[in-house]
């Protein structure tokens, strides 16, 4: 059995799958061991006696002799109990092994295999984890408006946004021009996007297989350990989960669908980002941060992300 380590693990999903396959789940098992030894004892004795008295009167003599032998058998036993406890990670190892052994798990290694995958199917895909494109974009824009003396966290923009205690004399001429051209509409949209991302209970990470298949891995923050998202950036990871959407030959997934940008659709979202970059001429390549994932792709609700 291959030993694996989950970085992300949806424990309720794992327990329900394992209980269905194994008719229940126990985090511990008790083993009783009993050792028995047999003990045998044996004793022997002999003796003789002569009866005087009346026999002597008649000139008779009696000689009594005998032998006594006794055997006893007994058992001695010791009993010990061993309790073996599972961890959540060890139970997941057993579940994955069982899924592979029973051929209940589809393996996606190429785009052609997506044609056989259906929504709700359980599958496994391996590839490079590219991180969270939406959060990366928000971080880039926050840094950019910070250079302009603006702040995405301010509530009430005035004349294109409140300044962050930086006078015009402290801001280079090029940045002053860009700040004047920076529209209030852009600032309000990006501020709303930032709030939506921060309050979201789920997060989309992007994984790309060696064959070019992209997987949008939708993680629940409740099961995402601290610093795990930082670990899930770069390197090869494997994902097991249920397919939520399968884009074998056409279609797209908008990573900004849970934000204010979701109202514009995929094309509208990417168009806004591209026009913002072009209009600001900032030199920051926002356009390379794609928020719209095109086919071949799949969206997965993960059971686990592991190495």
């Amino acid at each position: 059995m291959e030993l694996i380590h989950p970085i992300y693990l949806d424990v309720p999903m794992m327990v329900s799958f394992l209980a269905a396959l194994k008719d229940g789940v126990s985090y511990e098992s008790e083993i009783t061991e009993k050792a028995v030894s047999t003990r045998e004892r044996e004793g022997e004795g002999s003796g003789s006696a002569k009866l005087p008295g009346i026999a002597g009167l008649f000139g008779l003599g009696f000689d009594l002799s005998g032998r006594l032998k006794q055997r006893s058998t007994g058992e001695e036993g010791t009993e010990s109990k061993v309790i073996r406890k599972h961890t959540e990670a060890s139970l997941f190892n057993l579940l994955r092994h069982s899924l592979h052994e029973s051929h209940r798990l589809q393996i996606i290694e190429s785009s052609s295999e997506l044609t056989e995958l259906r929504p709700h199917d359980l599958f496994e895909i391996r590839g490079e984890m590219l991180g969270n494109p939406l959060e990366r974009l928000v971080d880039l824009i926050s840094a950019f408006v910070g250079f302009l003396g603006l702040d995405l966290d301010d509530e009430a923009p005035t004349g294109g946004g409140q300044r962050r205690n930086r006078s015009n004399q402290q801001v280079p001429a090029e940045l002053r021009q860009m700040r004047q051209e920076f529209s209030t509409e852009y600032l309000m949209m990006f501020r709303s996007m930032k709030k939506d991302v921060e309050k979201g209970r789920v997060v989309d990470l992007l994984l790309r297989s060696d064959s070019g298949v992209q997987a949008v891995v939708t993680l629940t923050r409740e099961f995402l350990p601290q610093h795990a998202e930082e670990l899930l950036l770069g390197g090869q990871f494997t994902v097991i989960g249920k397919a939520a959407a399968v884009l074998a030959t056409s279609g797209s997934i908008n990573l900004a669908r849970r934000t204010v940008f979701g109202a514009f659709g995929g094309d509208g979202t990417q168009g806004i980002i591209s026009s913002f970059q072009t209009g600001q001429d900032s030199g920051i390549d926002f356009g390379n941060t794609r928020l719209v994932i095109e086919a071949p792709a799949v969206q997965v609700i993960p059971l686990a992300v592991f190495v």
Side-chain angles (χ1 to χ4, degrees), residues 190-207:
F190 289 133
R191 179 174 289 135
S192 296
M193 173 189 277
K194 186 173 186 290
K195 288 182 178 180
D196 291 337
V197 169
E198 290 175 343
K199 72 181 181 181
R201 296 183 179 181
V202 297
V203 56
D204 290 326
L205 300 187
L206 187 62
L207 178 141

Side-chain angles (χ1 to χ4, degrees), residues 106-182:
Q106 291 182 247
I107 309 299
I108 302 299
E109 295 180 335
S110 65
S111 57
S112 61
E113 293 169 325
L114 287 180
T115 59
E116 301 176 4
L117 187 67
R118 298 289 180 267
H120 312 302
D121 284 348
L122 189 64
F123 73 100
E124 179 177 297
I125 187 171
R126 177 175 298 177
E128 180 185 4
M129 193 68 75
L130 304 178
N132 186 335
L134 182 59
E135 285 190 356
R136 179 176 180 271
L137 177 65
V138 170
D139 291 341
L140 284 172
I141 293 176
S142 296
F144 171 69
V145 299
F147 289 143
L148 301 183
L150 306 176
D151 193 342
L152 288 185
D153 292 324
D154 288 339
E155 293 293 335
T158 303
Q162 291 181 348
R163 300 177 181 179
R164 300 171 58 191
N165 300 321
R166 293 174 63 184
S167 65
N168 284 334
Q169 289 75 18
Q170 294 175 310
V171 179
E174 295 82 0
L175 294 183
R176 286 202 303 270
Q177 179 66 25
M178 293 171 65
R179 184 165 64 181
Q180 292 172 1
E181 296 174 355
F182 191 83

Side-chain angles (χ1 to χ4, degrees), residues 1-2 4 92-102:
M1 181 174 68
E2 181 186 4
I4 53 180
F92 171 64
N93 273 263
L94 295 176
L95 173 60
R96 179 174 180 264
H97 179 71
S98 177
L99 291 172
H100 275 280
E101 289 292 309
S102 58

Side-chain angles (χ1 to χ4, degrees), residues 51-62:
L51 297 178
I54 190 169
L57 296 176
F58 295 95
L60 301 176
F62 292 92

Side-chain angles (χ1 to χ4, degrees), residues 15-84:
V15 171
S16 64
F17 286 177
L18 197 56
L21 292 174
K22 301 297 184 182
D23 196 24
V25 176
S26 176
Y27 276 80
E28 64 180 42
S29 60
E30 183 177 292
I31 300 175
T32 302
E33 297 179 347
K34 188 174 183 180
V36 178
S37 60
T38 303
R39 183 188 58 186
E40 186 176 275
R41 292 183 189 175
E42 186 174 293
E44 184 174 311
S46 61
S48 62
K50 291 184 178 181
L51 297 178
I54 190 169
L57 296 176
F58 295 95
L60 301 176
F62 292 92
D63 186 1
L64 300 179
S65 64
R67 176 173 292 180
L68 175 64
K69 189 173 185 179
Q70 181 179 6
R71 175 178 294 176
S72 64
T73 303
E75 289 186 348
E76 292 181 350
T78 58
E79 184 175 288
S80 61
K81 293 183 178 181
V82 178
I83 297 178
R84 296 178 178 176

Side-chain angles (χ1 to χ4, degrees), residues 5 7 125-130 207-211 231-239 305-307:
H5 175 65
I7 305 297
I125 187 171
R126 177 175 298 177
E128 180 185 4
M129 193 68 75
L130 304 178
L207 178 141
R208 183 172 58 207
S209 72
D210 293 339
S211 62
L231 293 175
L232 296 173
L233 180 60
Q236 293 284 317
F237 293 87
T238 305
V239 178
V305 181
F306 60 91
V307 291

